[in-house]
């Protein structure tokens, strides 16, 4: 089952259970939102989780593209991506957690053919503010699915304040032995689906108050589930990365972690540009700039003659097509211009750092001077000094 079939199966299953499909937003949150990018499927729905009636009703389903800068340093392992798609469902004051978990279990096992014996779950065990999630625990016990109780690992929030609540996570065994241990003790259990019982709001003082309605918010990583269902050892080997895996190694021979980073960051940069972001020294534009510079640093480490001009247009058009974006040539031109800008910056940076003043250890004053006067970010200075 490829990702398009997986999306169709997921959406149709929930439509059959009374959910209305809503259109996913771009990576860019609405004006005034403090976050740089949409980080989860629930983010654009926050007003409705807080009680505003949604025009399509109380049961919703969608596919949302997301970007998480917090995972940048994790990219290269088998499960993390910078830009990814999240399959989501919502109950806005309608059904409760056990119903959501039961539908999720049935979709995985009956609709997608997952062996129930390869599943494990976790639930919230309670703390000094909120009691244990007994209803979720009971549901999993009735289904015969192993369940582990935790505290911090099963409390979901989108920040220090705002909507939050206990969650129950569904894990799939990926080891080459029969399932063993638990998700908190063996990382061969890979999380695929999180069901959040979003019932509370955390205030500035850390206290909790009830939300106007009891919601359920679920999120399932599309690429992660696709790789597991396709029997692939990492998200970088599911079908959405097929052209990248086919074309990039022949173009730029790289070790596996570097290949993953290059494919992820270039693909993510294409999507970010496709949603209207342009390189800049702050905000969303700086995230885009950082992605491209990390790619170029990896490519040039072994061969300075490598360049984004060699990148096959098929990879750009494939990615833009998957995310329903357009404009292959404008995207390619922007990538090449940013590469030229970075080459010029590196040349200037090497000359500046060759001065006697910067040959010894650098202090905070030096880093500030290099950034403010010469436009050299700290991470770039550190990289150049390691050459």
């Amino acid at each position: 089952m490829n990702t398009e079939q997986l999306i169709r199966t997921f959406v149709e299953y929930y439509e059959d259970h009374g959910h209305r499909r809503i259109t996913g937003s771009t990576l860019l949150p609405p004006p005034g939102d403090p976050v740089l990018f949409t980080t989860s499927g629930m983010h654009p729905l926050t007003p409705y989780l807080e009680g505003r009636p949604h025009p399509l009703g109380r049961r919703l389903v969608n596919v949302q593209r997301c970007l998480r800068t917090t995972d940048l340093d994790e990219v290269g392992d088998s499960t993390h991506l910078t830009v990814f798609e999240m399959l989501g469902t919502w109950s806005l004051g309608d059904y409760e957690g056990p119903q959501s978990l039961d539908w999720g279990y049935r979709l995985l096992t009956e609709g997608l053919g997952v062996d129930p014996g390869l599943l494990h779950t976790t639930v919230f065990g309670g703390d000094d503010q909120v009691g244990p999630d007994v209803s979720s625990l009971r549901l999993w016990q009735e289904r015969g699915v192993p369940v582990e109780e935790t505290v911090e690992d099963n409390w979901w929030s989108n920040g220090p304040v705002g909507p939050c609540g206990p969650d129950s996570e569904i894990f799939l065994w990926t080891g080459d032995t029969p399932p063993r241990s638990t998700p908190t003790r063996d990382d061969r259990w890979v999380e695929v689906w999180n069901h959040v019982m979003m019932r509370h709001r955390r205030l500035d003082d850390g206290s909790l108050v009830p939300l106007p309605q009891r919601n359920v918010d679920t999120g399932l990583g599309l690429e992660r589930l696709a790789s597991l269902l396709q029997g692939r050892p990492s998200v970088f080997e599911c079908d959405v990365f097929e052209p990248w895996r086919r074309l990039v190694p022949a173009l730029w021979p790289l070790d596996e972690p570097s290949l993953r980073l290059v494919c992820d960051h270039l693909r993510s940069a294409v999507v970010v540009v496709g949603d209207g972001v342009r390189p800049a020294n702050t905000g969303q534009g700086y995230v885009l700039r950082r992605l491209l510079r990390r790619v170029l640093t990896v490519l040039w480490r072994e061969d300075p003659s490598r360049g984004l001009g060699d990148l096959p247009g098929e990879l750009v058009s494939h990615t833009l097509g998957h995310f329903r974006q357009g404009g292959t040539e404008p995207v390619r031109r922007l990538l090449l211009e940013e590469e030229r800008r970075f080459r010029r910056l590196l040349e200037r940076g090497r000359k500046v750092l060759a001065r006697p003043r910067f040959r010894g250890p650098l202090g905070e004053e030096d880093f500030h001077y290099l950034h403010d006067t010469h436009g050299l970010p700290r991470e770039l200075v550190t990289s150049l000094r390691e050459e």
Side-chain angles (χ1 to χ4, degrees):
M1 183 176 289
N2 64 35
T3 50
E4 292 300 326
Q5 293 169 324
L6 183 51
I7 289 172
R8 187 163 56 250
T9 299
F10 180 88
V11 171
E12 290 177 355
Y13 176 86
Y14 278 96
E15 287 177 334
D16 289 344
H17 289 86
H19 294 65
R20 300 284 299 277
R21 180 170 183 174
I22 57 176
T23 302
S25 70
T26 71
L27 289 174
L28 309 185
D33 196 305
V35 303
L36 290 178
F37 294 99
T38 300
T39 59
S40 64
M42 64 78 62
H43 193 92
L45 291 171
T46 300
Y48 307 105
L49 293 165
E50 294 180 331
R52 181 192 301 176
H54 194 283
L56 291 182
R58 292 179 174 270
R59 297 184 182 187
L60 307 175
V61 58
N62 87 339
V63 184
Q64 173 64 52
R65 57 178 171 268
C66 307
L67 186 152
R68 292 184 183 172
T69 56
T70 54
D71 289 340
L72 276 183
D73 291 331
E74 303 293 331
V75 170
D77 68 7
S78 61
T79 60
H80 287 91
L81 297 170
T82 304
V83 166
F84 60 95
E85 290 182 278
M86 187 71 77
L87 304 174
T89 65
W90 291 269
S91 164
L92 303 177
D94 190 347
Y95 55 83
E96 293 276 349
Q99 179 65 80
S100 179
L101 295 172
D102 184 53
W103 280 336
Y105 173 77
R106 293 182 185 278
L107 174 59
L108 287 173
T109 58
E110 299 172 10
L112 300 176
V114 173
D115 181 353
L118 298 179
L119 296 177
H120 204 302
T121 61
T122 59
V123 300
F124 182 67
D127 60 17
D128 57 359
Q129 288 184 291
V130 179
D133 185 1
V134 177
S135 59
S136 295
L137 177 65
R138 184 180 302 117
L139 182 282
W140 291 126
Q141 290 172 336
E142 291 173 354
R143 297 293 171 273
V145 179
V147 59
E148 179 181 22
E149 296 183 72
T150 81
V151 180
E152 291 85 358
D153 289 345
N154 283 98
W155 183 268
W156 191 94
S157 63
N158 199 34
V161 298
C164 56
D167 66 44
S168 180
E169 299 176 351
I170 305 175
F171 294 78
L172 184 60
W173 178 252
T174 62
D176 53 7
T177 67
R180 62 179 63 168
S181 191
T182 68
T184 63
R185 297 189 181 98
D186 194 321
D187 59 11
R188 289 176 293 181
W189 288 108
V190 174
E191 179 199 343
V192 293
W193 205 344
N194 190 13
H195 293 240
V196 182
M197 280 53 85
M198 199 173 292
R199 306 163 182 162
H200 309 276
R201 166 180 282 282
R202 191 174 297 280
L203 305 180
D204 289 329
D205 63 3
S207 62
L208 296 173
V209 296
L211 285 174
Q213 62 191 24
R214 292 165 65 89
N215 310 296
V216 182
D217 159 32
T218 87
L220 185 158
L222 174 63
E223 296 88 350
R224 186 177 296 185
L225 181 62
S227 65
L228 294 171
L229 294 179
Q230 293 165 15
R232 304 297 184 180
S234 81
V235 289
F236 295 96
E237 296 182 50
C238 73
D239 63 290
V240 295
F241 278 95
E242 186 280 326
W244 293 87
R245 300 288 304 197
R246 174 166 44 85
L247 297 174
V248 172
L251 179 64
W252 300 316
L254 298 163
D255 60 43
E256 184 63 24
S258 297
L259 175 64
R260 291 177 176 183
L261 184 147
V262 166
C263 290
D264 169 86
H265 283 17
L266 277 178
R267 179 175 179 267
S268 298
V270 168
V271 181
V272 172
V273 173
D275 272 351
V277 176
R278 298 298 177 262
N281 289 327
T282 59
Q284 296 162 338
Y286 182 67
V287 173
L288 171 59
R289 177 160 284 169
R290 187 179 176 203
L291 289 171
L292 291 173
R293 289 179 177 180
R294 282 167 66 103
V295 168
L296 292 167
T297 298
V298 169
L299 294 181
W300 293 343
R301 191 163 53 209
E302 296 182 19
D303 184 352
S305 69
R306 291 171 173 172
L308 300 184
D310 300 326
L311 187 69
E314 176 187 342
L315 297 180
V316 178
S317 60
H318 175 271
T319 300
L320 293 173
H322 178 79
F323 287 94
R324 277 61 173 179
Q325 300 168 314
T328 300
E329 282 310 307
V331 171
R332 284 174 58 83
R333 286 197 298 270
L334 186 145
L335 298 182
L336 292 176
E337 175 54 35
E338 186 61 18
E339 178 185 343
R340 286 191 288 269
R341 185 179 291 112
F342 188 42
R343 281 192 187 274
R344 293 194 296 267
L345 181 62
L346 287 178
E347 292 170 3
R348 185 169 73 250
R350 290 189 181 98
K351 292 177 182 178
V352 171
L353 293 175
R355 298 174 184 174
R357 171 181 174 178
F358 303 115
R359 289 177 185 167
L362 299 181
E364 287 302 313
E365 184 178 341
D366 296 313
F367 281 114
H368 286 305
Y369 170 79
L370 290 166
H371 180 271
D372 296 343
T373 304
H374 298 283
L376 301 173
R378 176 189 294 260
E379 61 185 23
L380 178 58
V381 171
T382 302
S383 175
L384 286 173
R385 283 169 59 88
E386 291 174 351
E387 289 183 349

